Amino acid sequence: MAGNQILSSEKVIQMAGEYMEKDEKDMVERAYLFAKQAHQDQYRKSGEPYIIHPVQVAGILVELKMDPETIAAGFLHDVVEDTDITKNDLAEAFNDEVAMLVDGVTKLKQIKYESKAEEQAENHRKMFVAMARDMRVILIKLADRLHNMRTLKHMPPEKQRKTSKETLEIFAPLAHRLGISTIKWELEDTALRYLNPQQYYRIVNLMKQKRAEREKYIQEVMVEIENQVNDIYVTADISGRPKHIYSIYKKMTVQNKQFNEIYDLLAVRVIVDSIKDCYAVLGIIHTCWKPMPGRFKDYVAMPKANMYQSLHTTVIGPTGDPLEVQIRTSEMHKIAEYGIAAHWAYKEGNIEAPNETFEKKLTWFREILEWQNETSDAEEFVESLKMDLFSDMVFVFTPKGDVYELPRGSVPLDFAYRVHTEIGNKTIGAKVNGKMVTLDHKLKTGDIIEIMTSKHSYGPSQDWLKITQTSKAKNKIRQFFKKQRREENVTKGKEAVEKEIRGHDLEPKKVLTVENIQRVLDKFTFANEEDMYAAVGYNGITAAQIATRLTEKIRQKQEMETKQHLEEAVANTNINSSSSTPEPRRKKDSGVTVKGVDNLLVRLSKCCNPVPGDNIVGYITKGRGVSVHRSDCPNVTADDMQDRLLEVEWEMEPDENKHYNVDIEITGYDRRGLLNEVLQAVNEARTNISQVSGRTDRNKMAVIHMTLSIHHVGHLQKVAERIKQIPDVYSVRRVLQ
């Protein structure tokens, strides 16, 4: 990777021409000119012309030696999102393949979402699904993210942290899963620099302190290995391996190690011609220096899921310090550096056709399409990906020796569903390493698992949804319940949705219109109304999500009507303000009126429980009228809420027949009879208690919580004063719920 070196468009096109035919190079150059024209009046945060970004993205893809369509899409990747150019325009100007690749990395800007998190999740889902159809989409996206991280210093600090966090959670793990270590390391190191600059620069300084000494040591080791390898006539390319800052940081934090305890800072890489030579060199290394127990890993015989192959061993070096050695062939090294890109790299005028083994290794990626169809919520979909694709993995075996890869924390049920859906559904027990285990037993790398099934099994239990860790297992279990109990789920789901609607103070009949239901079906991709209710019934989606969508338009309309009513009422009040006789106003059940406005739904907030005598303020809610809060309630004191506040007031004379709930907290010394005396004091004040609870700590401090039914602030003060007179009571205070 070119790092922070800025490539010119001429250099990128020249590099592409080194491995492309003339007509293909011409298409790449046309793509650059097209993008330059589209972005001509746009600039980045740094003040540079926007076209610099697409040029650098294309440059990263050229370094990976990608095909002409991918390089062209690299130049064009932002034109649909940031200009008036459409996907169809690209298809006409270039071809359908280029248009499809650009569309795969284009964000969904034309759709409005309730939250930024939902929008981001939907964009990730779109990208992942496009990527599952064509791997080159993610290579373009990784190149895009890599250049954005290189220029992140021009963004505000909050944006830097947010982008870096997303990079560590999504893009760096994805680069790792695809085996592209050259991109992965740079993404991780750059993200760490913005998320934890103190630790980043501390590690940089620690690495600098003894660099010369380490380099001299590595050089001596390399000379010794070269002499030994020459004796057995093996050709080898020997080099020192740099340790990346983020990997050191992870070992220091996750494994709680000090910098001087990380011994693989010293590492040598040996690249040979054949697998036979790999093991020959390994023998020489172990003959020269004593290997450390448990530190040998054979990724040649058992490659990682991202196709990585290499022999790793750690030995006690010539000075007594641990030394890590990696041994691999040149082909393995190319895969280790470029991962999936090495398989899709441009060769002799064609993309190399991925072979069957390559396709099999990426079956986990094809499952993305399956998850997309089974998961209606975008945020849940992305969380599933983080869990299944990006978490640490364990490798387990069948009794026949077949290897399966599962996320760390997986249980036998996850393994059963990974092998086959029917095996999972018919599971009745499991053996791990020949011993019976429970179905929630955590699997470890190297475990041999045998699943016991029965054709008479009734199928999964609802508890399995809590036990299983992988999205595949959970989705298959939900599918089972979906098919087996459809009618029951439909009824159960409908009842839950209607209950949620009533919770919005709305009648289900008025909400469940054809238009509202269709909007929900489109949003969550349900085929029909029954499927929607069934999904709620088997916990595929929550009733709250459905009800929120169903009532969205109604609540917006109610809010507009409330605002309009207020504006009209205030205007009328201003017109009639000179009148000597004020218009009578109807009393509200809450005992509160909105100044100058009548016939509004007014309710007392339950978070702060205002009572007559409190300073109060009104808050215009979405579709539920005006909510009355105490003026000091934290739920209405935020700056972004001030434009929805209005003046309200209590009725002139408190109604002694009205009761208001108030929460109080009493603290005191925990002695025998304290609670009884408090209850007696409240009773003597002729006050009802709705609820009471208490606790004590090791310091003999008692805390009693009470909900009292009182008439007004004066009444509450009398009760509080009476309680304070009890011996060993330290304080009485009013609390928020």
Side-chain angles (χ1 to χ4, degrees):
M1 292 290 123
N4 289 320
Q5 177 187 348
I6 297 177
L7 298 172
S8 66
S9 56
E10 291 82 4
K11 179 65 175 175
V12 174
I13 293 167
Q14 176 199 328
M15 291 166 64
E18 291 172 3
Y19 64 89
M20 289 183 191
E21 300 293 334
K22 184 179 182 305
D23 60 329
E24 294 164 338
K25 177 190 171 187
D26 290 344
M27 183 184 77
V28 168
E29 189 167 6
R30 269 196 307 118
Y32 160 68
L33 295 172
F34 191 102
K36 184 180 180 183
Q37 176 67 26
H39 293 299
Q40 64 177 339
D41 296 322
Q42 296 177 341
Y43 296 87
R44 303 198 86 204
K45 292 283 186 183
S46 61
E48 298 171 324
Y50 193 90
I51 189 61
I52 288 177
H53 171 63
V55 169
Q56 303 317 302
V57 170
I60 293 167
L61 295 168
V62 165
E63 289 178 330
L64 296 173
K65 288 190 165 51
M66 295 305 296
D67 61 288
E69 283 75 18
T70 306
I71 306 302
F75 278 122
L76 300 163
H77 76 276
D78 274 337
V79 296
V80 173
E81 185 177 325
D82 294 335
T83 75
D84 294 331
I85 304 296
T86 66
K87 180 183 175 183
N88 289 336
D89 293 336
L90 292 181
E92 288 179 15
F94 298 94
N95 56 46
D96 290 339
E97 198 173 344
V98 171
M100 177 273 297
L101 292 172
V102 173
D103 182 61
V105 293
T106 300
K107 292 178 183 174
L108 301 163
K109 280 200 166 180
Q110 65 273 30
I111 302 173
K112 291 188 177 180
Y113 296 96
E114 285 195 348
S115 67
K116 199 73 180 171
E118 184 185 359
E119 179 181 356
Q120 190 78 322
E122 285 286 5
N123 284 323
H124 284 150
R125 168 148 71 175
K126 179 177 185 284
M127 178 188 72
F128 282 122
V129 173
M131 173 179 65
R133 295 195 179 102
D134 194 314
M135 295 290 184
R136 292 172 294 173
V137 169
I138 197 55
L139 295 175
I140 298 167
K141 190 63 186 176
L142 285 173
D144 171 54
R145 177 51 60 107
L146 181 58
H147 184 249
N148 282 334
M149 290 302 291
R150 288 174 179 174
T151 58
L152 199 57
K153 63 183 179 182
H154 300 293
M155 304 301 288
E158 186 180 345
K159 178 71 171 175
Q160 289 175 348
R161 288 190 293 272
K162 184 180 177 183
T163 303
S164 297
K165 184 172 183 288
E166 182 187 46
T167 298
L168 279 184
E169 287 184 349
I170 300 284
F171 293 100
L174 192 52
H176 171 67
R177 206 69 161 86
L178 297 174
I180 313 173
S181 62
T182 52
I183 290 179
K184 172 195 180 246
W185 291 122
E186 188 176 346
L187 288 176
E188 289 181 336
D189 284 359
T190 312
L192 179 63
R193 192 168 78 212
Y194 291 105
L195 286 173
N196 197 335
Q198 292 85 359
Q199 279 287 62
Y200 175 86
Y201 289 110
R202 175 172 172 255
I203 293 170
V204 168
N205 290 330
L206 287 169
M207 291 176 73
K208 283 180 181 176
Q209 286 174 10
K210 295 187 178 181
R211 178 174 290 173
E213 186 181 320
R214 284 201 305 271
E215 287 176 351
K216 181 183 176 184
Y217 175 73
I218 287 290
Q219 194 62 40
E220 291 173 359
V221 169
M222 286 164 56
V223 170
E224 177 65 22
I225 293 175
E226 187 174 12
N227 292 336
Q228 295 289 337
V229 166
N230 288 338
D231 288 346
I232 61 170
Y233 305 103
V234 169
T235 303
D237 179 13
I238 306 167
S239 61
R241 181 183 69 85
K243 189 69 178 174
H244 293 275
I245 297 167
Y246 184 74
S247 62
I248 296 173
Y249 168 76
K250 274 189 75 175
K251 288 193 175 183
M252 290 174 70
T253 52
V254 177
Q255 300 178 20
N256 198 24
K257 288 185 176 182
Q258 295 299 315
F259 182 81
N260 56 13
E261 295 177 291
I262 301 174
Y263 46 74
D264 55 354
L265 285 172
L266 304 172
V268 172
R269 181 177 290 144
V270 183
I271 299 175
V272 295
D273 293 333
S274 67
I275 293 177
K276 181 180 74 173
D277 291 345
C278 287
Y279 289 99
V281 171
L282 177 69
I284 286 175
I285 300 294
H286 283 180
T287 302
C288 289
W289 300 293
K290 187 176 181 180
M292 291 181 67
R295 294 291 301 171
F296 170 63
K297 295 185 178 107
D298 188 344
Y299 295 122
V300 173
M302 191 184 295
K304 290 185 179 182
N306 60 9
M307 301 166 289
Y308 177 89
Q309 286 184 287
S310 187
L311 296 177
H312 288 197
T313 187
T314 302
V315 296
I316 303 299
T319 61
D321 293 319
L323 170 72
E324 184 183 70
V325 182
Q326 296 179 352
I327 310 164
R328 62 182 67 149
T329 66
S330 54
E331 184 65 25
M332 291 174 191
H333 182 62
K334 185 169 67 174
I335 298 294
E337 294 292 297
Y338 300 112
I340 191 177
H343 282 272
W344 284 86
Y346 181 87
K347 294 189 179 177
E348 299 178 357
N350 293 294
I351 299 173
E352 182 184 18
N355 56 38
E356 187 179 342
T357 306
F358 171 69
E359 288 290 337
K360 187 178 179 182
K361 286 176 180 175
L362 291 170
T363 51
W364 59 269
F365 221 73
R366 304 302 174 194
E367 289 175 1
I368 289 176
L369 289 175
E370 184 181 339
W371 295 342
Q372 146 73 11
N373 293 331
E374 294 171 359
T375 307
S376 56
D377 184 80
E379 293 180 59
E380 181 188 339
F381 172 76
V382 174
E383 287 305 313
S384 296
L385 281 173
K386 287 181 186 178
M387 171 60 197
D388 283 16
L389 301 189
F390 305 149
S391 61
D392 292 335
M393 311 304 285
V394 295
F395 297 87
V396 295
F397 299 85
T398 67
K400 293 182 179 179
D402 295 327
V403 183
Y404 283 85
E405 181 189 31
L406 294 166
R408 189 175 300 279
S410 293
V411 300
L413 282 171
D414 294 302
F415 172 79
Y417 279 102
R418 178 59 59 89
V419 175
H420 196 278
T421 301
E422 277 308 301
I423 291 177
N425 286 341
K426 297 294 182 183
T427 296
I428 58 170
K431 288 183 180 179
V432 173
N433 303 325
K435 295 181 180 179
M436 287 291 296
V437 296
T438 57
L439 293 178
D440 61 353
H441 175 83
K442 302 291 182 187
L443 301 177
K444 301 188 297 296
T445 293
D447 283 345
I448 300 171
I449 309 169
E450 182 182 352
I451 298 295
M452 289 173 284
T453 61
S454 170
K455 61 183 179 181
H456 302 298
S457 167
Y458 289 108
S461 158
Q462 283 282 359
D463 290 340
W464 288 12
L465 287 170
K466 299 175 184 175
I467 294 172
T468 50
Q469 300 298 308
T470 62
S471 297
K472 178 166 185 173
K474 291 181 187 294
N475 284 332
K476 293 302 179 185
I477 294 166
R478 289 192 187 107
Q479 277 186 10
F480 176 86
F481 290 123
K482 181 179 178 181
K483 291 175 183 175
Q484 296 295 316
R485 304 177 182 174
R486 182 172 174 81
E487 288 185 14
E488 179 185 332
N489 285 329
V490 169
T491 304
K492 181 180 172 184
K494 187 172 183 179
E495 289 174 354
V497 170
E498 289 180 351
K499 183 179 178 182
E500 281 289 336
I501 291 171
R502 291 190 187 96
H504 287 280
D505 290 338
L506 295 168
E507 277 297 318
K509 284 184 180 180
K510 292 182 179 179
V511 173
L512 295 170
T513 62
V514 174
E515 181 187 351
N516 286 340
I517 290 171
Q518 189 59 51
R519 190 168 61 253
V520 175
L521 300 185
D522 293 340
K523 163 66 182 173
F524 296 109
T525 62
F526 292 121
N528 52 53
E529 188 176 350
E530 280 199 352
D531 282 356
M532 177 183 78
Y533 291 134
V536 176
Y538 64 77
N539 298 322
I541 192 169
T542 66
Q545 286 175 287
I546 299 293
T548 299
R549 283 286 173 181
L550 284 168
T551 60
E552 185 178 23
K553 296 284 186 185
I554 298 171
R555 287 182 288 111
Q556 287 175 356
K557 184 180 177 182
Q558 287 180 336
E559 184 180 357
M560 289 298 294
E561 288 174 351
T562 300
K563 284 186 177 179
Q564 187 177 358
H565 191 176
L566 279 171
E567 289 168 1
E568 290 174 357
V570 171
N572 291 333
T573 302
N574 290 336
I575 292 170
N576 298 323
S577 60
S578 59
S579 173
S580 58
T581 308
E583 291 186 11
R585 292 180 296 187
R586 181 170 57 85
K587 273 196 173 187
K588 305 292 182 284
D589 290 340
S590 61
V592 175
T593 58
V594 179
K595 282 194 176 181
V597 185
D598 199 7
N599 297 325
L600 273 183
L601 175 63
V602 179
R603 61 186 181 86
L604 299 179
S605 166
K606 291 183 179 178
C607 60
C608 56
N609 285 330
V611 297
D614 282 332
N615 291 325
I616 53 176
V617 65
Y619 177 76
I620 304 172
T621 65
K622 292 184 176 181
R624 301 184 70 183
V626 176
S627 176
V628 177
H629 295 255
R630 279 164 44 194
S631 299
D632 59 349
C633 177
N635 289 331
V636 291
T637 53
D639 291 338
D640 59 350
M641 291 183 169
Q642 299 307 304
D643 61 339
R644 294 174 69 173
L645 299 183
L646 61 144
E647 289 187 59
V648 292
E649 60 186 7
W650 296 106
E651 293 295 337
M652 294 300 291
E653 293 295 331
D655 187 348
E656 292 293 334
N657 294 319
K658 279 187 175 297
H659 295 84
Y660 300 85
N661 284 340
V662 174
D663 296 301
I664 64 170
E665 180 184 271
I666 304 156
T667 58
Y669 176 70
D670 181 28
R671 59 172 172 80
R672 182 177 294 181
L674 178 66
L675 178 58
N676 283 337
E677 289 181 32
V678 170
L679 294 175
Q680 186 177 346
V682 175
N683 186 48
E684 287 173 355
R686 300 191 177 187
T687 304
N688 292 330
I689 300 172
S690 303
Q691 191 174 345
V692 63
S693 63
R695 69 178 190 276
T696 60
D697 60 21
R698 65 181 65 181
N699 298 318
K700 299 289 284 180
M701 177 67 76
V703 180
I704 301 169
H705 287 278
M706 281 187 173
T707 301
L708 305 179
S709 183
I710 63 134
H711 303 302
H712 45 75
V713 168
H715 181 188
L716 177 61
Q717 289 171 345
K718 286 180 182 178
V719 176
E721 288 301 323
R722 190 174 287 266
I723 295 172
K724 285 180 185 177
Q725 293 171 12
I726 299 172
D728 297 320
V729 167
Y730 302 145
S731 67
V732 180
R733 70 184 187 95
R734 193 169 166 187
V735 295
L736 297 177
Q737 270 194 349

